[in-house]
Amino acid sequence: MEDHSARNKLVIALLLVSAFVVILNETIMGVALPHLMADLDITASAAQWLTTAFMLTMAVVIPVTGYLLQRLNTRPVFILAMSLFSAGTLISALAPGFAVIVVGRIVQASGTAIMMPLLMTTVMTLVPPGSRGRTMGNISVVISVAPAIGPTISGLILSALEWRWLFLLVLPIALSALALGALRIKNVTVPTTAPIDILSIFLSAIGFGGFVYGLSGLGEAALHPPVISPWIPLLIGAVVIAVFILRQLQLQKQERALLDLRTLTTKTFTIAAAMMAILMMSMFGVFILLPIYLQNVLGLSTLQTGLLLLPGGLIMGLCAPTVGRLFDKYGPAPLIIPGAIILSVVMGGLVFIQQDTPFWMLLIAHIVLSIGLALMFTPLFTVSLGSLPPNLYSHGSAMLGATQQVAGAAGTALFVAIMTLRATSLSAGGANLLVATTGGIKAAFLCGTIISLGAIVAALFIKKPQHGQDMGHHH
């Protein structure tokens, strides 16, 4: 067979650039919420929907992508993902009011959800095991840097322009990625055929959607009493996910599963996915708590906050390719174990912040934390998918994507809820606002420290995938 390496490099490069734009967009709204609340005259809990609706859509769409990627070719899936993303961006940019922006965000999110598993599956299919770490390093750059610089970019845009520009500036980039991809991306997978199970889609939408909605509701409920208790969607979600799992176990006997759960019979994949969940919870928790602390306690502006968190994000990205190379050479343990220890130590250190902690200490803490996360992300992606047989790559990617969304939502909800409950009880005991807020944030970091200890335990069990280095690769 002829050598496809040039074609493969191009396909992967195009996918990486597109994924970067798409993921950058996921965190661009956070800093913008106060502006939107003022411009559109909406409450905080309404504005939250711009982020919640996005996460919900991701949680609903990602489980379906494992199926999509097996049934459709690379090129149509890419065109579908980027078309949805561009359409959503356009809808939001031209939106007359709040409701339409939410619709735009939902359309955007459905494109985003397809993009990540597409990128992962394609890389696993095209790149031989020996050099996967390097390529996965590049993916980690996308996954870690894009969300980290999102807030800084939106802070910069909003300091000069109105909120529409958050979408107007992304649109030409998205459209050019779509055009370039439509011209240059070649099909690199071999699709299979199987009827789609409508019931499974329905169950996964209600299950994952309800669960993530309940989780984000828990964080909200701590701030203002909800109309219905968030425990209701949480419980319904959990029950429906259980039914969904049983249904998949039935269907996978005939190779018809929407999300193939045989990925979980591989021990390494399951441990890596669990560790990924802990990392996402910790990371999202810190991403939420640090800005609140920097702005509400230390009194920094949104732009200053964005700039303070920027070096960590960039360093995370700069480390990733090196980490990938080290992984290819030494395997996961020498990277993952120190990474997990760094995470716990920094989280533990953040428990000791005060109302007057100098901001440069937080800058250093954030940079060290970012290095710890960088040491873990690339090896975890590579080990988790590398331990699966090739026919399960797409389901494995979808599983990791779903884990990330649910864990991110859970982390955010948990940290916000703990912070609010502690701060409220301190205020009730007569503490002033700054002391109460700081106390709340410290309590949340303590919880994060406890969770992060789980990552150290998991790290000890992660092994480099053994099975045949040449399995299923045709050059």
Side-chain angles (χ1 to χ4, degrees), residues 126-149:
L126 298 182
V127 181
S131 52
R132 264 182 204 158
R134 272 217 309 281
T135 318
M136 279 295 188
N138 297 337
I139 292 189
S140 303
V141 175
V142 168
I143 290 176
S144 57
V145 176
I149 64 174

Side-chain angles (χ1 to χ4, degrees), residues 55 211-213 215-216 280 284 404-414:
M55 281 176 73
F211 196 69
V212 171
Y213 177 65
L215 285 171
S216 52
M280 295 308 282
F284 273 88
Q404 279 179 10
Q405 288 306 312
V406 172
T412 309
L414 182 70

Side-chain angles (χ1 to χ4, degrees), residues 61-256:
V61 177
I62 286 177
V64 185
T65 56
Y67 179 91
L68 269 182
L69 291 172
Q70 279 194 309
R71 303 294 173 259
L72 296 173
N73 238 315
T74 320
R75 194 164 165 269
V77 174
F78 174 80
I79 292 174
L80 172 68
M82 286 313 283
S83 304
L84 282 169
F85 180 75
S86 305
T89 309
L90 183 64
I91 293 170
S92 293
L94 305 176
F98 174 68
V100 184
I101 306 180
V102 174
V103 173
R105 288 289 285 171
I106 290 174
V107 178
Q108 265 187 338
S110 52
T112 306
I114 302 172
M115 203 64 212
M116 269 333 292
L118 172 66
L119 174 64
M120 299 271 230
T121 308
T122 308
V123 165
M124 292 303 291
T125 312
L126 298 182
V127 181
S131 52
R132 264 182 204 158
R134 272 217 309 281
T135 318
M136 279 295 188
N138 297 337
I139 292 189
S140 303
V141 175
V142 168
I143 290 176
S144 57
V145 176
I149 64 174
T152 314
I153 290 179
S154 66
L156 283 168
I157 295 174
L158 291 170
S159 61
L161 302 160
E162 63 153 4
W163 62 266
R164 286 183 194 277
W165 288 95
L166 291 176
F167 301 104
L168 290 170
L169 291 171
V170 170
L171 189 61
I173 307 171
L175 289 171
S176 30
L178 172 62
L180 202 63
L183 290 171
R184 306 299 299 271
I185 282 191
K186 301 281 189 289
N187 291 324
V188 291
T189 51
V190 184
T192 56
T193 49
I196 192 155
D197 184 53
I198 303 291
L199 179 63
S200 291
I201 293 189
F202 194 63
L203 290 171
S204 98
I206 295 174
F208 289 100
F211 196 69
V212 171
Y213 177 65
L215 285 171
S216 52
L218 281 181
E220 277 286 289
L223 297 170
H224 21 246
V227 187
I228 53 163
S229 160
W231 291 103
I232 298 170
L234 248 183
L235 285 170
I236 294 174
V239 171
V240 177
I241 289 176
V243 178
F244 173 77
I245 289 172
L246 293 171
R247 176 91 182 144
Q248 301 318 298
L249 294 172
Q250 282 311 117
L251 290 173
Q252 67 197 24
K253 292 178 186 149
Q254 308 129 34
E255 298 289 330
R256 285 181 46 207

Side-chain angles (χ1 to χ4, degrees), residues 225-450:
V227 187
I228 53 163
S229 160
W231 291 103
I232 298 170
L234 248 183
L235 285 170
I236 294 174
V239 171
V240 177
I241 289 176
V243 178
F244 173 77
I245 289 172
L246 293 171
R247 176 91 182 144
Q248 301 318 298
L249 294 172
Q250 282 311 117
L251 290 173
Q252 67 197 24
K253 292 178 186 149
Q254 308 129 34
E255 298 289 330
R256 285 181 46 207
L258 186 67
L259 189 61
D260 200 316
L261 301 173
R262 276 173 299 190
T263 48
L264 296 175
T265 55
T266 309
K267 199 174 99 196
T268 307
F269 178 84
T270 309
I271 296 171
M275 188 163 165
M276 191 84 87
I278 294 173
L279 290 196
M280 295 308 282
M281 284 180 80
S282 310
M283 191 169 102
F284 273 88
V286 172
F287 280 178
I288 285 269
L289 296 173
L290 271 184
I292 293 179
Y293 176 72
L294 292 166
Q295 288 170 28
N296 299 0
V297 179
L298 298 186
L300 276 64
S301 70
T302 39
L303 189 56
Q304 286 170 319
T305 304
L307 290 171
L308 188 107
L309 300 176
L310 185 61
L314 294 178
I315 286 170
M316 204 164 172
L318 293 170
C319 291
T322 315
V323 171
R325 279 197 295 278
L326 291 171
F327 172 84
D328 286 338
K329 207 165 166 187
Y330 302 110
L335 299 163
I336 290 183
I337 296 169
I341 293 169
I342 291 175
L343 172 70
S344 286
V345 169
V346 174
M347 281 290 227
L350 288 170
V351 175
F352 297 102
I353 55 173
Q354 298 302 336
Q355 292 82 273
D356 52 1
T357 302
F359 70 87
W360 57 265
M361 284 174 80
L362 290 156
L363 176 67
I364 293 169
H366 186 251
I367 289 173
V368 175
L369 180 74
S370 303
I371 294 170
L373 290 170
L375 286 172
M376 295 184 282
F377 272 124
T378 306
L380 281 175
F381 280 130
T382 319
V383 167
S384 57
L385 292 174
S387 61
L388 298 174
N391 63 324
L392 289 177
Y393 286 160
S394 61
H395 287 287
S397 309
M399 197 78 104
L400 287 179
T403 304
Q404 279 179 10
Q405 288 306 312
V406 172
T412 309
L414 182 70
F415 284 89
V416 171
I418 290 180
M419 174 187 86
T420 316
L421 293 171
R422 179 79 184 121
T424 318
S425 79
L426 284 172
S427 303
N432 70 31
L433 186 62
L434 284 184
V435 175
T437 311
T438 311
I441 293 172
K442 289 167 70 144
F445 278 132
L446 180 60
C447 167
T449 310
I450 296 165

